[in-house]
Amino acid sequence: MAPYLETVRSFADVDTTNGVNTVQFLEASEGLVGLFDLLGSAAFSVVQNDLKGNITKVRARYDATPTLSDTLEKLVENEKGEKKRTATEGLMWLLRGQSFTCKALQNAQANPKEELSVAFNDSYANTLKKFHNFVVKGIFSVAMKACPYRADFYAKLAADPAGGPAASDEKVTEQLNNWLNPLDAIVTRMQTFYEKGDYGKGL
C-alpha cells in the first residue's frame, strides 16, 4: 500500500484535451470523497453523501448515453433540451462541493499554522454558503467545528495503511498541491462553461 493520494486517480490524470473526460473525472471524484474519511468526522457525512449522490447522477447519464457523454461538456450539452436535467444539476452541485473542498485544502496548504477548521470555514464562506438555506448552513457549521486537528489530518495523509514508512511532510505537501491544482483548474473550467452556456438556469 501507499499514502492515500497515491492510491486514487489524480485530477492531474484526467484528460482535458477535447473536454473533461467523464469517466476519468468521476474516478478522481471518488478519490475526493474518500478524502473525507481521513477527516474522520461523522459531521462531514453530509458533504460526502452529497458528493456521492451527484457522482451517481452523472454516472447514470454516462451509462445511459456513453457516446454522447464521453466529456462533461458533451454530457451537459446533450441533456440541455430535456425536461429533467438530472445529470446537469448533479454535476453543477458536484463542482460546487469540489470547489469547497479544494479551496479549503488550498487554504490549509497556504497557511500552515492555521487549523483546518479555519481553512474550511473560510472556504465555505466563499463557495457553498451562498447556495444554502438556514438549515443547511447550520449543518455545515457543525461540520466545520468537527474538523480534526491539522497535524492529525496530515499524519493520515502521510500514513501507509499497510504499515510501511510514512511519507515526509514535504512529500505530502507536494502530492496534495499536485492533486489540488488540476482539480481547481477543472472546476474553474467547468463552472465557466456553465456560466457561458447558462446551463444552470432553472436548476
Side-chain angles (χ1 to χ4, degrees):
M1 293 285 289
Y4 181 75
L5 292 177
E6 292 178 22
T7 66
V8 295
R9 178 183 282 278
S10 169
F11 286 95
D13 297 328
V14 176
D15 184 8
T16 58
T17 310
N18 298 306
V20 179
N21 183 285
T22 301
V23 172
Q24 294 172 359
F25 172 79
L26 291 175
E27 287 177 5
S29 297
E30 286 169 345
L32 182 74
V33 171
L35 199 64
F36 282 94
D37 289 331
L38 300 184
L39 288 168
S41 170
F44 275 104
S45 62
V46 63
V47 185
Q48 259 190 321
N49 291 337
D50 189 58
L51 292 169
K52 284 179 184 175
N54 290 317
I55 288 170
T56 298
K57 289 174 185 176
V58 177
R59 178 168 281 117
R61 178 68 182 187
Y62 174 82
D63 289 343
T65 59
T67 55
L68 298 175
S69 309
D70 57 334
T71 69
L72 296 180
E73 291 90 343
K74 282 172 66 176
L75 181 149
V76 172
E77 279 280 359
N78 284 293
E79 198 182 42
K80 189 175 183 181
E82 298 184 16
K83 196 170 184 180
K84 285 190 75 177
R85 293 177 292 144
T86 304
T88 302
E89 183 177 19
L91 178 58
M92 180 179 72
W93 279 103
L94 177 58
L95 292 166
R96 287 172 178 172
Q98 289 176 331
S99 177
F100 159 67
T101 310
C102 182
K103 299 297 185 195
L105 293 174
Q106 285 179 326
N107 288 344
Q109 291 284 82
N111 301 286
K113 292 185 178 178
E114 281 186 356
E115 281 298 336
L116 288 187
S117 57
V118 177
F120 274 84
N121 260 313
D122 288 349
S123 176
Y124 181 66
N126 291 311
T127 56
L128 283 174
K129 190 174 183 179
K130 60 188 172 187
F131 302 113
H132 286 165
N133 61 31
F134 178 76
V135 174
V136 178
K137 285 176 184 174
I139 293 170
F140 269 78
S141 177
V142 171
M144 303 307 138
K145 290 172 184 171
C147 278
Y149 288 116
R150 177 192 182 91
D152 293 343
F153 173 66
Y154 275 81
K156 287 181 180 178
L157 274 182
D160 179 351
S168 66
D169 291 347
E170 293 78 14
K171 181 72 172 174
V172 171
T173 297
E174 180 187 1
Q175 284 183 333
L176 194 51
N177 284 336
N178 290 343
W179 199 72
L180 292 171
N181 291 339
L183 167 60
D184 192 20
I186 289 172
V187 168
T188 300
R189 171 181 177 149
M190 289 307 303
Q191 288 182 330
T192 301
F193 171 78
Y194 265 76
E195 288 167 13
K196 284 186 175 178
D198 211 13
Y199 294 113
K201 188 176 182 180
L203 296 177

